[in-house]
Amino acid sequence: MRIYPPFAAKPFSEIQGDEHYVTMLYNLGRKPMELDLNSMKFGDTRVRDYEDVEIEAATGGSNDTDEGITLYASKVSEEAVGARIYSKEQAAPVLRVTAPDTDWVTYTVTAPQGMLRVSNNGKKKDDVRVTIVIEYRLQGTNTWTEAKRFGFKGKSANPIRKSQKFKFVGRGQYEIRMWRTSDDIDTIDNGGTSDASIYNDDVYFSVLRSWQKGNPVSDDANAALVAVRIRATDQLTGTPDTFNCVPTFISADWSDFLASWQRAATRNPASLAREILIGAANAKGDRAEINDNSFAMFWRFCQANGFEFSQYIDYNTNVWDVLRSVCAAGRGRPLQIDGEWHVAIDQEKGSPTAIITPRNSWGFKGIKSFADPIEGVRVRFLSEVDDLYLNDERVVPAPGFTQKSAQFLEALELPGITNPDLVYKQAKYYLHQAMLRPETFEFYQDIEHISLLPLDKIEFQEDSILVGLESGRIIDTN
């Protein structure tokens, strides 16, 4: 399933030399999952098709980096300032406050028009120099301390960016201020007594980043993370918000060869249903009892029929609803027998489990639906063709109809099914079910009913519906 994961932490930008870089951290969900790095895209463009890209994964899969996430190893809070810096004689210094519990800061100062002095006749160009002073103090205190002093020098109208880093003595929330030692000069016109000059010397406090040591996603050690650092210069406009990728969940998958459950990337409904019940994501998973033989049979049935489940669950739901959806993708139904979880499979059965007659039941009632015949169904789904997972639609006619002759269509939802051929196959199954199972029978039984389970095959002998000639009961075995 192609997903558009949310940010796990706020993106931040950096200046390295003359290049602008952006670093992003994404939360794909819960570990473990297998991630195809070639599937990662910004919009429709593969991430690896960009230049100067670094990728780190910590998803619990085979493509994880040995060191984990190092591109985004700390918590960072970025503030876009964009304030012009003047001398103290011209205006108050530019002041900003760091995030709480800051260990160090990085800041970017920009001269968007470069550093340049040009004479009125355009013949003479001179260097322009500006010195910036950075001071700090712990919030709530009065004394300012100089952190750094650095200069801009240039003889060009090309933009100049400089980034600096400063580490505080102790963690806390600090006030940062900047000012320049010389006045900000736009134009000098000495009344015509000398060669008038035009200055490019505007300097801006562009960005302030507050850093804190520690895991940026410290509240969830099981989060599957992907970090991407990319050169934004000449490639991006702003921070990309259309990152997407195709992960596959890793769970215990049945192996007929080993006759046991082995960890693997899988979309088999049996493996996923079992993981839902006993996996780490289920708060009560350590107390669930599983009948592995039943789930192994369900796995073989799904494998033989090509049934798969693929869905990104990013909404509020509960274990039971998800479990039912996953099992339904493989024509199964979860149930508990003596405290153990089993899966009943809707498949062709041999001998009946029981024969219901007036001798072992009472209160028999039959209900038959006389609704208008369904001519077909319209299924909307996310198509996995070419790993794009775009919205698609398939019209499946009922028996006796074609796509052209089927005029009145019912909407059918098939959660977790993304293969167009499988959508057609499952839709046909539900259409035949509606056609061949129009009747519902109800009856009462004593203790005999405990041998019957959902989706079991039973037969009736009931004179009220003219099924069977007559019934009897055993009165002697001699």
Side-chain angles (χ1 to χ4, degrees):
M1 170 66 70
R2 182 167 293 279
I3 67 173
Y4 291 76
F7 288 118
K10 291 179 64 175
F12 66 91
S13 58
E14 299 173 284
I15 303 297
Q16 183 175 321
D18 294 329
E19 305 293 352
H20 178 206
Y21 288 82
V22 178
T23 303
M24 297 147 287
L25 185 67
Y26 298 94
N27 188 341
L28 275 58
R30 195 174 184 87
K31 291 179 180 178
M33 56 179 68
E34 191 65 54
L35 176 64
D36 179 6
L37 300 183
N38 289 319
S39 74
M40 298 193 305
K41 296 180 178 180
F42 288 127
D44 295 327
T45 305
R46 289 199 322 160
V47 173
R48 284 186 163 176
D49 288 342
Y50 289 90
E51 296 180 356
D52 299 329
V53 176
E54 296 179 70
I55 301 171
E56 291 179 346
T59 65
S62 61
N63 287 319
D64 281 9
T65 48
D66 294 336
E67 300 82 9
I69 301 296
T70 62
L71 295 175
Y72 209 129
S74 304
K75 298 180 182 179
V76 59
S77 175
E78 181 173 286
E79 178 186 357
V81 181
R84 190 168 172 178
I85 303 173
Y86 295 94
S87 68
K88 284 185 176 181
E89 288 73 21
Q90 290 178 301
V94 179
L95 188 146
R96 288 296 185 271
V97 180
T98 70
D101 300 323
T102 296
D103 290 310
W104 73 89
V105 292
T106 57
Y107 41 82
T108 301
V109 180
T110 307
Q113 297 176 332
M115 292 277 121
L116 180 65
R117 177 183 179 272
V118 184
S119 62
N120 246 3
N121 57 22
K123 294 181 179 180
K124 187 178 181 181
K125 296 182 180 180
D126 294 327
D127 289 340
V128 173
R129 302 183 183 185
V130 174
T131 300
I132 305 296
V133 179
I134 298 94
E135 297 178 321
Y136 73 95
R137 69 182 178 187
L138 187 66
Q139 195 172 39
T141 62
N142 297 320
T143 305
W144 288 97
T145 303
E146 184 173 319
K148 285 198 175 184
R149 185 179 293 234
F150 64 95
F152 278 84
K153 177 183 176 181
K155 195 176 180 179
S156 167
N158 295 325
I160 303 173
R161 300 183 187 92
K162 287 194 176 183
S163 288
Q164 300 282 334
K165 175 181 177 181
F166 180 76
K167 187 173 183 180
F168 298 111
V169 176
R171 175 175 291 187
Q173 189 168 26
Y174 291 84
E175 295 177 354
I176 303 287
R177 73 178 186 180
M178 291 189 187
W179 51 279
R180 52 190 288 169
T181 59
S182 57
D183 288 347
D184 183 347
I185 304 174
D186 289 322
T187 301
I188 299 177
D189 186 354
N190 295 324
T193 59
S194 65
D195 187 18
S197 300
I198 297 174
Y199 276 74
N200 287 348
D201 68 341
D202 297 345
V203 181
Y204 290 81
F205 184 177
S206 300
V207 181
L208 174 66
R209 303 173 196 87
S210 304
W211 296 79
Q212 182 188 118
K213 294 179 182 178
N215 185 352
V217 196
S218 57
D219 59 337
D220 190 356
N222 292 313
L225 304 176
V226 172
V228 180
R229 184 175 186 267
I230 182 171
R231 176 171 57 81
T233 306
D234 300 328
Q235 296 192 110
L236 299 177
T237 302
T239 301
D241 57 0
T242 56
F243 175 80
N244 58 92
C245 58
V246 182
T248 303
F249 192 71
I250 296 176
S251 70
D253 198 44
W254 179 255
S255 169
D256 272 329
F257 178 75
L258 298 174
S260 63
W261 296 91
Q262 305 292 321
R263 304 294 289 182
T266 180
R267 297 200 293 178
N268 189 294
S271 303
L272 299 178
R274 186 177 181 273
E275 185 70 21
I276 289 170
L277 290 170
I278 64 173
N282 186 348
K284 299 181 180 179
D286 57 341
R287 287 177 278 171
E289 296 185 17
I290 299 291
N291 186 297
D292 275 332
N293 289 333
S294 174
F295 277 83
M297 290 177 58
F298 185 38
W299 184 91
R300 295 189 191 97
F301 178 75
C302 293
Q303 197 75 3
N305 289 278
F307 296 149
E308 294 180 337
F309 184 90
S310 182
Q311 186 177 29
Y312 184 48
I313 300 174
D314 58 351
Y315 52 88
N316 291 328
T317 185
N318 56 65
V319 172
W320 176 245
D321 287 344
V322 177
L323 180 63
R324 285 195 306 173
S325 294
V326 171
C327 290
R331 301 183 189 176
R333 184 184 300 180
L335 68 154
Q336 280 186 297
I337 303 174
D338 297 332
E340 278 190 333
W341 283 99
H342 294 242
V343 179
I345 306 172
D346 192 4
Q347 60 180 329
E348 185 177 355
K349 305 292 198 306
S351 301
T353 303
I355 299 177
I356 308 303
T357 75
R359 298 293 185 180
N360 59 14
S361 67
W362 71 92
F364 179 86
K365 181 171 66 174
I367 303 171
K368 184 169 183 176
S369 173
F370 289 97
D372 292 335
I374 299 176
E375 297 184 10
V377 293
R378 175 184 285 110
V379 186
R380 291 186 172 92
F381 64 103
L382 294 174
S383 175
E384 65 183 36
V385 175
D386 296 328
D387 269 346
L388 295 178
Y389 290 88
L390 301 177
N391 288 314
D392 203 349
E393 179 181 279
R394 184 145 196 183
V395 173
V396 182
F401 292 88
T402 64
Q403 288 197 354
K404 291 184 178 180
S405 63
Q407 299 295 318
F408 301 100
L409 303 175
E410 301 281 345
L412 176 64
E413 293 185 2
L414 297 174
I417 300 179
T418 57
N419 184 301
D421 294 334
L422 194 53
V423 165
Y424 184 87
K425 182 177 181 179
Q426 293 288 53
K428 278 291 188 182
Y429 159 74
Y430 285 107
L431 285 168
H432 280 90
Q433 191 178 64
M435 182 179 68
L436 300 175
R437 294 174 174 173
E439 298 169 314
T440 302
F441 297 110
E442 299 176 4
F443 57 90
Y444 294 89
Q445 270 194 317
D446 281 326
I447 195 67
E448 298 100 323
H449 80 278
I450 65 171
S451 64
L452 302 179
L453 299 174
L455 300 181
D456 273 352
K457 177 181 179 180
I458 62 175
E459 292 183 353
F460 287 101
Q461 186 277 304
E462 179 61 47
D463 53 2
S464 61
I465 56 173
L466 302 179
V467 175
L469 298 177
E470 59 182 60
S471 61
R473 60 192 178 96
I474 300 172
I475 60 174
D476 193 357
T477 59
N478 294 324

